Amino acid sequence: MFQDRLNDIAGRVEQRLQDALRDAQDHDVTQAMRYALRGGKRLRAFLVVEGACLHGIEPDRSMYAAAAVEAMHAYSLVHDDLPCMDDDDLRRGQPTVHVKWDEATGVLVGDALQALAFEILADPVTHPDPAVRVALIAGLARMSGVGGMVLGQAQDIAAETAAEPLTLDQITALQANKTGALFRWSAQAGAVMAGADPTPLRQYADALGLAFQIADDILDVEGDATKAGKRLGKDAGAGKATFVSLMGLAGAKARARDLVAKAEAALEPYGKAAENLRECARFVIAREM
């Protein structure tokens, strides 16, 4: 049930994103944008759609906000892969954008994808109430900027040259920004669209985002690079502190399980209607890629 739902949302969101570029001028940048938008698990889109369903909003209505956050996520990956950042040559099993095209194209593609996210949210088709659209835009701007994802990336870069490895509390704060911020926006988007209290979904997302990152650190140690579609073991090779290096594999796995339990507990107000979100929490620590 969960995997079918995840796959269905992923397919619909990808089509929505490709449709958003249907009338764009044919250019290397546009072609590279389409390339960057292909594939992925679409967990952030899943959170948007499922959170919206809890508030009576049908997927056809929430799919635009779901597409917007996936465009923002794609931008972050394109820029994260650049030589001046994490310098990766493989993403989702394919050459990264700057490898397939060039570094300048990678920069421009990331810029354009970020703009696309806000363009989608600003469209009345996303929500008929301008105030709601502004709230979605403002929230995504905060979560993707210096109050969230960009700050986390800056903290991550600084950690590479720090005199001392980060502490567990510092890594937790870093990942709450770099990875957790978009999870937080995604989970709360449906409540924002419905004018409802987003607190339970924010608590769910905070636990989920941290569990996701711990699972990533575990996969970086014992995962299969072919299944992951990217290089593994980079953090250990660079001597960076991770959840695994600080807690050990067993400790990291136990912490991830505790966070999943916390995420599930946050969903209690929604009863059985939130089962797909509970399954999502279990999925993030059971995935192989």
Side-chain angles (χ1 to χ4, degrees):
M1 174 66 176
F2 163 75
Q3 193 63 57
D4 290 343
R5 179 71 164 171
L6 183 64
N7 292 341
D8 176 64
I9 290 172
R12 294 174 69 179
V13 165
E14 182 150 345
Q15 185 60 56
R16 181 67 62 199
L17 287 165
Q18 298 298 336
D19 286 348
L21 294 173
R22 182 176 50 210
D23 297 327
Q25 182 178 344
D26 188 35
H27 190 279
D28 280 356
V29 169
T30 312
Q31 293 171 13
M33 288 173 71
R34 293 190 178 99
Y35 178 85
L37 288 169
R38 294 206 306 255
K41 293 176 287 296
R42 308 295 191 191
L43 282 176
R44 293 152 192 82
F46 181 89
L47 295 179
V48 172
V49 173
E50 289 297 328
C53 283
L54 291 179
H55 296 90
I57 299 173
E58 294 297 320
D60 284 347
R61 288 183 56 201
S62 61
M63 202 60 66
Y64 296 92
V69 76
E70 288 294 341
M72 184 64 72
H73 178 52
Y75 131 71
S76 75
L77 297 181
V78 172
H79 277 194
D80 196 41
D81 291 336
L82 289 170
C84 62
M85 304 284 270
D86 279 358
D87 193 15
D88 272 312
D89 54 13
L90 195 65
R91 173 69 67 178
R92 294 171 176 170
Q94 301 292 327
T96 48
V97 170
H98 74 272
V99 170
K100 188 172 176 64
W101 279 271
D102 53 52
E103 190 171 349
T105 300
V107 172
L108 292 172
V109 165
D111 292 345
L113 288 170
Q114 183 185 90
L116 178 63
F118 291 120
E119 181 181 353
I120 292 170
L121 290 180
D123 193 320
V125 74
T126 296
H127 197 282
D129 187 343
V132 172
R133 298 199 302 275
V134 168
L136 290 170
I137 291 168
L140 187 57
R142 284 192 299 271
M143 291 298 98
S144 60
V146 293
M149 185 173 63
V150 167
L151 174 60
Q153 181 65 24
Q155 292 169 323
D156 197 25
I157 292 171
E160 294 179 0
T161 56
E164 297 290 336
L166 297 184
T167 66
L168 186 59
D169 285 346
Q170 288 172 325
I171 292 176
T172 300
L174 183 163
Q175 296 300 347
N177 292 322
K178 183 177 178 180
T179 301
L182 286 192
F183 276 95
R184 196 174 308 125
W185 184 90
S186 301
Q188 295 180 103
V192 172
M193 293 174 73
D197 181 10
T199 301
L201 287 171
R202 182 176 66 248
Q203 294 170 342
Y204 164 83
D206 286 345
L208 179 76
L210 188 53
F212 180 92
Q213 186 56 50
I214 293 174
D216 257 14
D217 283 0
I218 293 169
L219 286 171
D220 197 55
V221 173
E222 61 178 19
D224 183 328
T226 302
K227 293 180 179 179
K230 60 182 180 180
R231 284 189 287 163
L232 300 179
K234 285 187 64 182
D235 289 343
K240 288 174 61 176
T242 67
F243 289 106
V244 172
S245 69
L246 292 174
M247 304 174 72
L249 269 173
K253 289 178 179 179
R255 176 61 174 148
R257 289 193 296 269
D258 289 345
L259 285 164
V260 168
K262 185 176 180 180
E264 291 189 59
L267 297 172
E268 287 181 5
Y270 306 109
K272 293 183 178 179
E275 189 56 31
N276 282 340
L277 288 175
R278 293 187 184 91
E279 288 288 338
C280 182
R282 299 167 197 143
F283 168 78
V284 300
I285 64 168
R287 62 198 164 94
E288 295 182 344
M289 55 182 293

